[in-house]
Amino acid sequence: MAQINLGGSGLMVPDVALGVMRIADKSAAEAQALVEKAMEKGVNFFDTADIYAAGQSSVVLGQALKDAGIAREDIILQSKGGIILEDGQISGDGWKGPRYDFSKSHLISAVDEELKRLQTDYLDVFLLHRPDTLMDPEQVAAAFDELQAAGKVKHFGTSNMNPWQVELVRASLNQKLVANQLQFGIMHTGMVDSELHVNMSDERSFDHDGGILAYSRLKNMTIQAWSPFQYGFFEGPFIDNDKFPVLNQKLQELADKYSVTKNTIAVAFILHHPAKMQVVLGSMNVNRLDEMMDGDKVTLTNQEWYDIYFAAGNDLP
């Protein structure tokens, strides 16, 4: 598995990670099989969050790693915190009833609870989970300082933040922000669209993210691409979806050329971008993970990358 330097921190990580948001639905044996498959493929980076299945995803991950006999020093654990959920908090059109809390006390408590769930003494990476408009950067900085001094967190980052939000956090920190977790994939290319349609007035010229792609490259901040196989906001996968016949035809054509599967090509599409993103896979199917984790074995041409981009319904000015 190819390695990247996470945010220029010196922490070398695989360019594919396993996200475990849905692992709580698996039995102990199934969860163990998932982490063993990841390790077999060279994917030793595991991403979770304290709100995934109300914390149960982290519990299942921690136990699966223990059951598999995987040494702590052989893996990289990343979690996220800063969201407080209550019962009945999720609906089809977004969050209902939660709140964000980036106070020092909550962030420290969130990490402490995650360490218990994961059965570990430290996190390799801790991300602020979505932006909090009520954030006091000095509170965040104080939390990060205490967590780092206590040896509970080695590296820090953000998720779903635009450049100015990242800068606001950075202004008070003593640590480098190494990653920003953002949705990106073949059917979620807004970051790329706005770069390609600069100085235009069409829909794809709208910049919803403040130039986060170029910013991340300039600041050497790794983009971690979440939900890479989803279209819309958790509307479903695009692979083998009848809504996208042209895209699936192109993916199959390239899969045949490289003797892989469409899942592999979809990951290769993200890894081809020179931003050197890390792909966070969320599948809980061992066979599909096996295919997805081969994405860095395929080197697309620039023309093939654009062919996929066009097949997904995009255009160029």
Side-chain angles (χ1 to χ4, degrees):
M1 183 64 62
Q3 301 281 302
I4 59 175
N5 185 352
L6 191 71
S9 66
L11 178 65
M12 301 304 295
V13 302
D15 58 8
V16 172
L18 179 60
V20 300
M21 184 171 71
R22 298 178 178 87
I23 201 170
D25 296 332
K26 299 298 179 181
S27 67
E30 290 170 331
Q32 180 179 340
L34 285 165
V35 300
E36 288 176 340
K37 172 56 68 176
M39 295 296 289
E40 173 192 323
K41 302 292 284 190
V43 176
N44 67 338
F45 191 111
F46 300 91
D47 171 78
T48 185
D50 61 355
I51 65 166
Y52 291 167
Q56 192 61 25
S57 292
S58 296
V59 171
V60 173
L61 172 62
Q63 189 60 46
L65 292 168
K66 181 178 180 180
D67 292 344
I70 299 171
R72 178 64 181 89
E73 60 269 23
D74 292 336
I75 60 173
I76 300 166
L77 287 177
Q78 172 175 283
S79 189
K80 302 178 287 292
I83 301 178
I84 296 178
L85 299 181
E86 298 176 359
D87 291 341
Q89 72 278 45
I90 301 176
S91 73
D93 58 353
W95 300 102
K96 299 292 184 182
R99 63 184 176 89
Y100 302 125
D101 188 349
F102 284 7
S103 66
K104 176 185 176 183
S105 60
H106 177 71
L107 293 176
I108 291 174
S109 174
V111 170
D112 286 341
E113 291 302 314
E114 275 293 87
L115 296 179
K116 293 176 186 176
R117 296 182 188 107
L118 291 165
Q119 303 184 51
T120 186
D121 296 325
Y122 68 94
L123 296 174
D124 295 281
V125 188
F126 177 67
L127 307 182
L128 297 173
H129 203 174
R130 292 194 170 274
D132 176 14
T133 192
L134 300 181
M135 172 190 71
D136 179 348
E138 293 183 359
Q139 287 268 313
V140 174
F144 284 10
D145 285 345
E146 186 168 321
L147 290 167
Q148 187 177 61
K152 295 178 181 178
V153 179
K154 294 186 175 182
H155 304 279
F156 300 88
T158 62
S159 71
N160 306 291
M161 286 193 182
N162 66 34
W164 283 111
Q165 290 170 324
V166 174
E167 284 294 305
L168 182 60
V169 176
R170 282 165 45 97
S172 297
L173 293 184
N174 294 308
Q175 299 84 12
K176 175 179 173 56
L177 294 174
V178 300
N180 193 3
Q181 200 166 101
L182 301 159
Q183 187 176 6
F184 184 76
I186 292 174
M187 290 301 298
H188 195 100
T189 54
M191 290 186 288
V192 166
D193 300 344
S194 59
E195 284 196 347
L196 293 171
H197 289 253
V198 169
N199 201 35
M200 304 299 292
S201 58
D202 59 310
E203 183 178 349
R204 289 188 179 86
S205 69
F206 299 159
D207 184 356
H208 297 279
D209 309 303
I212 190 62
L213 180 53
Y215 171 88
S216 300
R217 298 176 72 181
L218 285 168
K219 298 295 184 180
N220 197 9
M221 193 173 180
T222 299
I223 291 175
Q224 297 178 326
W226 60 267
S227 287
F229 286 82
Q230 294 280 326
Y231 71 95
F233 187 71
F234 293 113
E235 292 184 47
F238 55 81
I239 297 287
D240 294 330
N241 190 321
D242 292 341
K243 291 183 178 180
F244 311 107
V246 176
L247 173 59
N248 277 280
Q249 181 179 351
K250 174 54 66 176
L251 292 174
Q252 188 63 60
E253 174 188 319
L254 292 170
D256 292 342
K257 174 183 176 179
Y258 289 102
S259 300
V260 292
T261 69
K262 288 182 280 190
N263 287 318
T264 310
I265 298 298
V267 173
F269 174 86
I270 299 172
L271 296 179
H272 185 74
H273 198 283
K276 296 182 180 178
M277 301 181 196
Q278 184 185 41
V279 183
V280 182
L281 302 174
S283 176
M284 294 290 100
N285 181 293
V286 171
N287 293 329
R288 283 200 291 271
L289 278 179
D290 198 17
E291 298 170 0
M292 294 170 181
M293 290 176 178
D294 283 339
D296 67 348
K297 295 181 180 179
V298 174
T299 302
L300 299 172
T301 67
N302 284 3
Q303 184 60 62
E304 288 168 342
W305 189 94
Y306 274 109
D307 287 344
I308 295 171
Y309 183 72
F310 296 145
N314 300 300
D315 59 18
L316 295 179

